[in-house]
Amino acid sequence: MKRIKNIGDIPSFLSNQRYDDFYKELSKHKLKKEIGKRHSLYSRVQHVLNNTYIIEDDYTRDKKKSKRLNKKNDKKKVITVEITRSITVNGVKKILQPSPPKTKNEIIQEERDSIVRNILSFTTHQWQDTPDGKKLNYQSSDFTIFPGFNFDDSPIITPIMNHKNYHNFKSINPFFDVFPRNLDDYIKMPNIYINLDFSDDAIIEEFKNQLVELRETQNQKPVYSKTKSYIAKLINFRILQVMDLLIWQAITNHHVLYDTLALFLYPQGQFSGKQLKETIIPLSKNLLNSKSNESGFFYYIVNKKR
């Protein structure tokens, strides 16, 4: 691992100026969208670091195995498609030599480079031609493949699931996938039985009483309780920039010293290297994990109507 002691050795695309320019107005809904994108990118990082990335060698091996089985069973035929590359210069077409097969390390390195380019794209302005010849300036980060789709694991209480709303979820969002994965599994789970003949106030009061008893039994106090200043705290921490720095460090095998990173991120001395190490970076790492309690609490906050 390469340790970075000087600010000048940190890539310029991670600078404050780029992030300040790109995220001038960062609402909680915009922040939700941006953190969702980093969840997706961080999952790719984990595949690379944990050596669970699917490489071409595995595909080739499976294809050969499939060919043997097909030949043995004589039921299917394997069709091989050859792709040729060509270049035309002055009207003359020239066939290029096929690219040599890539090694596992080459494929992994390409994925690493792609992840770095993704980090760069988060703060890169793009241009688009219009029919009248003018160019519109837009931010690439404003676009997403699946509008409204995110890794939202925020429900603090597992929703009461029945046949009607379960299938409604499935029809509205084809990507909807819950754990447990089917209605029968939900029925087997511990349930909260509610007598709806009573008023909402009576039910809520009873639930609060049960909650007090449960916390005493489990000896567990709430960790996530402060909601009013939570989003402002994330923005003051420059949380998106810190998350991108963590992804960049992980995928490029670098480590910026905490005091150096504090000076890079907070030149006015808002936070120290010790605060980065003990508070801001642990928070950022938890937010990168879409399944963490921190991410769940974040989605709970941004989804609140007030």
Side-chain angles (χ1 to χ4, degrees):
M1 177 178 289
K2 182 178 180 181
R3 296 183 178 274
I4 296 179
K5 300 180 180 179
N6 301 316
I7 291 178
D9 295 330
I10 303 175
S12 59
F13 62 80
L14 293 168
S15 68
N16 286 4
Q17 183 178 354
R18 287 180 67 98
Y19 282 80
D20 289 343
D21 178 48
F22 208 81
Y23 298 113
K24 288 179 181 178
E25 298 179 0
L26 190 58
S27 66
K28 67 177 185 179
H29 300 293
K30 175 74 171 177
L31 185 61
K32 173 184 176 181
K33 187 175 182 181
E34 293 300 323
I35 287 182
K37 291 176 182 178
R38 284 153 179 85
H39 283 165
S40 178
L41 188 61
Y42 189 64
S43 68
R44 291 170 57 190
V45 173
Q46 292 304 301
H47 283 305
V48 172
L49 299 182
N50 297 329
N51 200 26
T52 54
Y53 186 75
I54 299 175
I55 61 171
E56 191 172 330
D57 290 346
D58 294 333
Y59 169 76
T60 305
R61 200 159 42 242
D62 290 342
K63 187 175 179 181
K64 289 180 179 178
K65 180 180 178 181
S66 176
K67 182 181 273 189
R68 290 197 302 271
L69 291 174
N70 289 335
K71 185 175 181 181
K72 180 180 178 181
N73 297 333
D74 197 26
K75 292 181 179 179
K76 299 179 181 179
K77 293 183 180 180
V78 175
I79 300 175
T80 303
V81 179
E82 291 188 6
I83 300 176
T84 58
R85 299 181 304 128
S86 64
I87 186 172
T88 302
V89 180
N90 296 328
V92 179
K93 185 176 181 180
K94 181 181 179 182
I95 303 297
L96 301 177
Q97 292 295 323
S99 301
K102 296 176 182 177
T103 65
K104 173 181 177 179
N105 289 337
E106 287 174 333
I107 294 172
I108 295 297
Q109 186 57 49
E110 283 189 356
E111 175 67 355
R112 289 178 181 270
D113 294 340
S114 173
I115 290 171
V116 173
R117 287 195 299 271
N118 270 264
I119 298 173
L120 174 62
S121 73
F122 287 150
T123 55
T124 299
H125 292 276
Q126 295 186 359
W127 299 86
Q128 184 180 42
D129 292 325
T130 60
D132 58 2
K134 295 181 180 180
K135 289 186 176 180
L136 294 175
N137 177 247
Y138 67 88
Q139 298 177 337
S140 58
S141 195
D142 287 341
F143 290 80
T144 181
I145 297 176
F146 305 116
F149 175 70
N150 59 62
F151 298 88
D152 191 341
D153 295 300
S154 60
I156 298 172
I157 301 174
T158 303
I160 298 173
M161 194 65 63
N162 55 39
H163 286 280
K164 183 178 179 180
N165 58 23
Y166 180 84
H167 292 294
N168 282 345
F169 273 120
K170 292 289 288 185
S171 63
I172 294 172
N173 186 355
F175 300 99
F176 170 74
D177 194 11
V178 293
F179 183 81
R181 297 180 182 274
N182 58 63
L183 185 60
D184 292 336
D185 289 336
Y186 269 104
I187 296 173
K188 296 175 185 177
M189 293 175 64
N191 291 281
I192 297 175
Y193 294 95
I194 299 174
N195 188 340
L196 295 179
D197 288 338
F198 288 86
S199 68
D200 292 354
D201 290 340
I203 293 172
I204 292 172
E205 182 180 353
E206 179 65 17
F207 182 78
K208 286 182 177 180
N209 293 335
Q210 294 293 326
L211 188 59
V212 170
E213 182 178 342
L214 182 61
R215 287 199 181 280
E216 289 178 353
T217 304
Q218 300 294 326
N219 192 27
Q220 182 172 343
K221 296 181 179 179
V223 177
Y224 304 95
S225 56
K226 297 180 180 179
T227 61
K228 291 184 178 180
S229 60
Y230 185 76
I231 298 299
K233 179 181 72 172
L234 296 183
I235 294 174
N236 289 336
F237 283 168
R238 309 184 70 90
I239 201 71
L240 294 177
Q241 193 174 357
V242 176
M243 292 170 79
D244 291 348
L245 271 158
L246 291 177
I247 294 175
W248 174 80
Q249 286 186 136
I251 206 63
T252 61
N253 201 29
H254 285 79
H255 174 70
V256 184
L257 299 184
Y258 295 114
D259 289 337
T260 303
L261 188 55
L263 187 60
F264 178 78
L265 291 168
Y266 318 112
Q268 305 302 321
Q270 302 95 315
F271 301 103
S272 65
K274 183 180 179 181
Q275 288 172 302
L276 256 176
K277 180 180 179 181
E278 295 179 355
T279 304
I280 302 173
I281 287 181
L283 170 65
S284 302
K285 287 182 176 179
N286 285 332
L287 277 176
L288 280 171
N289 178 7
S290 65
K291 302 298 182 183
S292 70
N293 282 342
E294 194 71 53
S295 287
F297 183 66
F298 167 75
Y299 282 121
Y300 161 70
I301 295 298
V302 297
N303 288 337
K304 288 182 69 175
K305 294 182 179 180
R306 294 182 180 180

